[in-house]
Amino acid sequence: KAGVTQTPRYLIKTRGQQVTLSCSPISGHRSVSWYQQTPGQGLQFLFEYFSETQRNKGNFPGRFSGRQFSNSRSEMNVSTLELGDSALYLCASSFGSANQETQYFGPGTRLLVL
Amino acid sequence: AQSVTQPDIHITVSEGASLELRCNYSYGATPYLFWYVQSPGQGLQLLLKYFSGDTLVQGIKGFEAEFKRSQSSFNLRKPSVHWSDAAEYFCAVGVIGTGTASKLTFGTGTRLQVTL
């Protein structure tokens, strides 16, 4: 069974631009969560999508948004990029239908904002 | 609010030596606990998890962890470390959000260095 895939793996953008990252979950998984990893703040939860609806949200500004498609693939968008948005963005998938579930992570997209 | 503390930022052990990485959590409900490992430039790989039942859980690559409710701890252990175990290790607690435990709160990680 294929794992979680993320595209692109690397991105370089400039301040003020916007970026879209993509995540394809493990087949059969309907929940996709996004996390930001930085040296200063560590791993922080951004949001979670289930059945095309945002179900949980972390403490990030509105510049960070996402969506999920009917095939459970998810995209994350960051508008008006700031230098501090440079990070490794990880997505994770799970079935999303029970409390005792494991999240499986993709390899991440490394975003550099110049 | 929930939190996870990994008190050791960096640990160095010799190959073949035993290893224990510490993790303490703070969470008001029954915790779902995880250990993940991350190699440089990679995503997170699940080592093991605790949901309920036996408090000593076995994982991949010879790792085990013990849940101690009285100490709010979930320490990771390995009896004999291999050079390939060098990586960063994250402890996490699964938080019940809307629907399911779909939000992980992570510790700051412990970087393991293995000397030959």
Side-chain angles (χ1 to χ4, degrees):
Chain A
K1 196 182 248 189
V4 178
T5 58
Q6 292 187 246
T7 57
R9 293 293 311 277
Y10 303 93
L11 267 178
I12 300 176
K13 293 287 186 178
T14 56
R15 277 183 303 173
Q17 287 187 310
Q18 75 165 15
V19 66
T20 299
L21 312 181
S22 180
C23 173
S24 293
I26 292 171
S27 178
H29 285 186
R30 295 168 62 193
S31 170
V32 174
S33 297
W34 289 89
Y35 294 83
Q36 181 196 64
Q37 184 178 25
T38 60
Q41 299 299 315
L43 281 153
Q44 293 185 288
F45 172 77
L46 279 155
F47 33 64
E48 181 237 0
Y49 283 85
F50 178 78
S51 291
E52 302 178 63
T53 301
Q54 187 180 86
R55 191 166 61 172
N56 289 284
K57 189 177 185 304
N59 297 321
F60 278 81
R63 300 186 297 107
F64 292 82
S65 63
R67 60 177 176 168
Q68 187 180 36
F69 302 94
S70 58
N71 62 356
S72 295
R73 188 177 70 87
S74 177
E75 288 182 348
M76 190 191 91
N77 184 273
V78 188
S79 62
T80 319
L81 283 166
E82 301 176 0
L83 295 179
D85 297 332
S86 295
L88 180 67
Y89 290 89
L90 295 164
C91 84
S93 76
S94 67
F95 289 107
S97 56
N99 289 340
Q100 297 184 0
E101 288 192 2
T102 300
Q103 292 187 32
Y104 296 92
F105 284 81
T109 294
R110 185 163 296 281
L111 172 64
L112 177 61
V113 182
L114 301 176
Chain B
Q2 69 286 346
S3 65
V4 177
T5 301
Q6 293 181 249
D8 304 305
I9 297 173
H10 186 212
I11 282 182
T12 300
V13 300
S14 300
E15 189 175 39
S18 64
L19 171 71
E20 182 169 27
L21 303 182
R22 296 182 291 166
C23 172
N24 291 95
Y25 69 90
S26 173
Y27 184 51
T30 302
Y32 302 133
L33 297 162
F34 306 83
W35 275 100
Y36 287 89
V37 61
Q38 184 178 39
S39 298
Q42 301 299 312
L44 300 174
Q45 180 184 22
L46 177 72
L47 284 176
L48 48 77
K49 60 193 176 187
Y50 172 78
F51 289 155
S52 64
D54 193 348
T55 56
L56 184 64
V57 294
Q58 303 296 321
I60 63 171
K61 303 184 181 184
F63 285 93
E64 66 177 28
E66 186 171 13
F67 171 60
K68 293 185 178 180
R69 185 184 297 273
S70 61
Q71 299 176 20
S72 297
S73 69
F74 188 57
N75 294 348
L76 182 71
R77 301 194 294 249
K78 186 170 185 178
S80 177
V81 169
H82 188 262
W83 63 267
S84 60
D85 293 325
E88 189 147 24
Y89 292 78
F90 292 93
C91 180
V93 61
V95 176
I96 305 294
T98 301
T100 70
S102 52
K103 171 185 170 181
L104 294 175
T105 295
F106 287 88
T108 51
T110 297
R111 181 163 298 278
L112 172 66
Q113 183 177 357
V114 180
T115 57
L116 302 177

